Every structure is written in structure tokens, then in C-alpha cells.
């Protein structure tokens, strides 16, 4: 899973995609039970913010981006219709 092996890659992808569509906020949803991956992603987000890749006026470009982590309220099951 990329979140556990290289969460910085996900942060980079979110930043590129957000810039491409002009979004200033990106939200990542986690299901319950994903605490380890959530913590790793939060550390990567914090590192990117400290480096200047996230936040207000990214690299003096006038672009603002924040990545927010939220826990999903959706249950982790799939219902299938029987034929």
C-alpha cells in the first residue's frame, strides 16, 4: 500500500492534481482501522508543510493548498444485488 510505503508520493500527487484543477483544499478520507496509514500520511503532510510545499503562498507562487485528513463515517461493506 502506497500510504504505508511512500506517503510523500501521495502528497505530491495530491498537490499536483489540486494545482491542476485550482483547488485550495484537498480532503483524504480514511476508514476506521487505518490508523497506521493515517499517521504516516499526516507526518508526510506536516513535512511538506514545513518545507513550503503546502500552506499559504506555496513557494511564493500565490497558490494556497491545504490537505486535510478526515475519518470516514461510511461503513466498510459493499451490498450486492442477487440475480
Amino acid at each position: 500500500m502506497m500510504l504505508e510505503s511512500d506517503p510523500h508520493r501521495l502528497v505530491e500527487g495530491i498537490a499536483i492534481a489540486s494545482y491542476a484543477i485550482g483547488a485550495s483544499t484537498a480532503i483524504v478520507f480514511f476508514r476506521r482501522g487505518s490508523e497506521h496509514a493515517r499517521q504516516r500520511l499526516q507526518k508526510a503532510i506536516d513535512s511538506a508543510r514545513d518545507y513550503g510545499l503546502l500552506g499559504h503562498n506555496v513557494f511564493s507562487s500565490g497558490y494556497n493548498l491545504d490537505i486535510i485528513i478526515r475519518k470516514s463515517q461510511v461503513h466498510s461493506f459493499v451490498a450486492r444485488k442477487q440475480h
Side-chain angles (χ1 to χ4, degrees), residues 18-66:
S18 297
Y19 182 78
I21 65 170
S24 60
T25 303
I27 302 172
V28 179
F29 288 95
F30 276 90
R31 293 181 295 176
R32 293 181 184 144
S34 305
E35 191 60 28
H36 177 69
R38 189 203 63 77
Q39 289 174 349
R40 291 202 36 125
L41 180 59
Q42 186 62 59
K43 286 181 183 179
I45 291 169
D46 293 342
S47 294
R49 189 173 286 118
D50 291 344
Y51 191 71
L53 294 171
L54 299 175
H56 180 73
N57 199 19
V58 174
F59 288 132
S60 302
S61 66
Y63 178 67
N64 306 315
L65 177 61
D66 194 20

